[in-house]
């Protein structure tokens, strides 16, 4: 049996980060990975999906500026866009990621990991042989999540795409039906419609329903203008496919949709089903409940970071959690009380009310913190500041006929920003300033002294402050 201070199960971005922080803290760490080092984000999620979106968005950005649009004489080259995606994913080779692990002083064991007891992990290799590992300090689960396949009669039999299939496809299908109305569904509808695919979305309630309604409305309108058929208020009740023909989806309103491919984007499920968590008193298939140090509740040695804990299913939040967990494990190994660290690096509190997210549709949606509705539900006395981004001087420079909207959500009792949402072309780069303001709880009267450069889209901050009233302190 090999022993380490820390065993990390899963070599995605979160697993890599927690192992790296533990090693930097003086501990010996090993990562166990059954697939590719680099994980979901590098090969099947963030990176390939944004690569698929970028080519079409670049063309549309040029077409929005007079003088540039005249130079755009063709449509997106789908084959070239897919080749670019392949370069970004390194053709699904993890050689460079393995080199990084080696350079960081992190050991790698390939195979499927299962917990066999407290601090013990068995790794079953591809050839069927097994190795047993034991952790002196901690085991960290960083196995992520998988696409959730709803229990719809016939759905499994039509061999639907999951997000992995959509981001790794080697050709654009002639037609695509998408089940779901969340971020993955909206982004893949944007990408494939841009490739010329006939796209139909089946949305049970509202597209991007957890976001500010104005942002969801802008994306809905843009998708519809781009030829996407959005069916809301309906769901699939049965699916079938005759070999060699399109899949047929029967909807709850009695209509039918035929498509060459069907993408299921209805949610995620934690990868804990075959992890052996029952050996340590946990339930397979459930999210791992953690505290703010990422310690699984009821244990003193098991940690869970990233999607698998269900807190915030975003790569950057997983990496944030991983840095916290790695520091915590190293601090506890050194006998330190993490509560004594006033600078708070050992707790992942931002997961609760300060999560930033960009939805890379066209237009983009960038948001952080609470929506107006969520803030009201939390019992805050809320003031909403809305501003038309097209009225900012920087918008007219950025693009002809710019369309966008921005909303700030203010806690009136504390006079601080608790949420912000931007919707429009290239608003992603506005987000971090809002994240700093929310996390730092910067009073509005101090934000008056953070002067936005002219002429940029960031001038919306000045307009928000004018809407909030004069500086009083």
């Amino acid at each position: 049996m090999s022993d380490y201070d820390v065993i990390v199960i899963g070599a995605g971005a979160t697993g890599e980060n927690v192992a790296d922080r533990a090693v930097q803290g003086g501990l010996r760490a090993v990562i166990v990975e059954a697939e590719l080092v680099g994980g979901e984000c590098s090969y099947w999620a963030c990176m390939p999906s944004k690569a698929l979106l970028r080519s079409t968005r670049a063309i549309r950005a040029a077409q929005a500026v007079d003088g540039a649009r005249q130079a755009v004489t063709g449509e997106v080259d789908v084959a070239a866009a897919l080749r670019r995606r392949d370069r970004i994913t390194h053709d699904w080779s993890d050689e460079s990621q393995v080199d990084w692990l080696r350079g960081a002083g992190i050991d790698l064991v390939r195979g499927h990991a299962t917990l066999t007891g407290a601090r013990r992990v068995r790794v079953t290799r591809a050839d069927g042989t097994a190795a047993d590992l034991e952790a002196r300090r901690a085991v960290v689960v960083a196995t992520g999540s998988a696409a959730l396949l709803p229990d719809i009669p016939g759905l499994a039999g039509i061999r639907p795409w999951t997000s992995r299939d959509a981001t790794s496809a080697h050709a654009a299908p002639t037609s695509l039906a998408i089940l779901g109305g969340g971020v993955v569904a909206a982004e893949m509808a944007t990408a494939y419609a841009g490739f010329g695919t006939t796209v139909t979305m089946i949305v049970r309630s509202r597209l991007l329903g957890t976001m500010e309604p104005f942002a969801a409305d802008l994306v809905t309108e843009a998708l519809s203008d781009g030829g996407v058929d959005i069916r809301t208020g309906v769901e699939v009740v049965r699916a079938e496919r005759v070999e060699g023909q399109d899949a047929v989806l029967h909807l709850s309103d009695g209509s039918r949709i035929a498509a060459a491919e069907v993408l299921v984007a209805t949610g995620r499920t934690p990868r804990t089903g075959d992890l052996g968590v029952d050996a340590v008193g946990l339930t397979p298939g459930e999210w791992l409940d953690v505290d703010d140090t990422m310690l699984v509740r009821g244990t003193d040695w098991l940690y869970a970071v990233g999607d698998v804990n269900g807190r915030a299913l975003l790569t950057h939040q997983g990496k944030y959690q991983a840095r916290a967990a790695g520091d915590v494990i190293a601090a506890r190994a050194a006998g330190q009380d993490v509560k004594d660290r006033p600078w708070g690096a050992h707790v992942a509190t931002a997961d609760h009310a300060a999560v930033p997210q960009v939805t890379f549709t066209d237009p983009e949606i960038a948001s952080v913190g609470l929506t107006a509705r969520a803030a009201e539900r939390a019992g805050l006395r809320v003031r909403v500041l809305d501003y038309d981004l097209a009225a900012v001087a920087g918008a007219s420079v950025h693009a002809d006929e710019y369309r966008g909207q921005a909303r700030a959500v203010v806690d009136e009792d504390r006079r601080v920003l608790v949420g912000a949402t931007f919707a429009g072309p290239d608003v992603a780069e506005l987000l971090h300033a809002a994240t700093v303001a929310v996390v730092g709880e910067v009073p509005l009267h101090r934000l008056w002294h953070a002067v936005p450069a002219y002429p940029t889209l960031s001038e919306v901050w000045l307009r928000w402050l004018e809407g909030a009233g004069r500086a009083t302190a």
Side-chain angles (χ1 to χ4, degrees), residues 357-379:
Q357 179 175 7
V358 178
T359 303
F360 290 88
T361 45
D362 188 5
E364 289 177 342
I365 300 176
S367 61
V368 63
L370 302 175
T371 62
R373 183 179 178 186
E376 290 169 353
R377 286 202 306 262

Side-chain angles (χ1 to χ4, degrees), residues 153-161 179 239-242 246-249 260-262 264:
L155 184 62
I158 68 170
R159 301 180 302 280
W161 276 6
L179 279 63
E240 59 184 345
R241 185 196 293 270
V242 177
D246 287 350
V248 177
L249 303 178
E261 299 292 349
V262 175
V264 177

Side-chain angles (χ1 to χ4, degrees), residues 4-6 17-30 104-106 136-137 325-334 336 341 346:
Y4 290 85
D5 293 309
V6 182
N17 271 265
V18 72
D20 186 41
R21 296 296 275 217
V23 168
Q24 290 183 41
L27 303 180
R28 186 167 176 250
V30 61
I106 302 166
R136 288 184 289 268
R137 301 294 180 181
D327 287 350
V328 163
I329 293 166
R332 286 173 172 159
Q336 300 172 6
R341 299 298 181 101
H346 293 307

Side-chain angles (χ1 to χ4, degrees), residues 104-139:
I106 302 166
D107 286 353
L108 171 65
V109 176
R110 291 192 183 270
H112 178 76
T114 53
L115 295 166
T116 56
R119 298 183 178 84
R120 293 194 172 191
V121 175
R122 174 162 293 167
V123 182
T124 304
R125 305 183 185 93
D127 63 4
T129 61
D132 290 314
L133 308 176
E134 185 170 6
R136 288 184 289 268
R137 301 294 180 181
V139 174

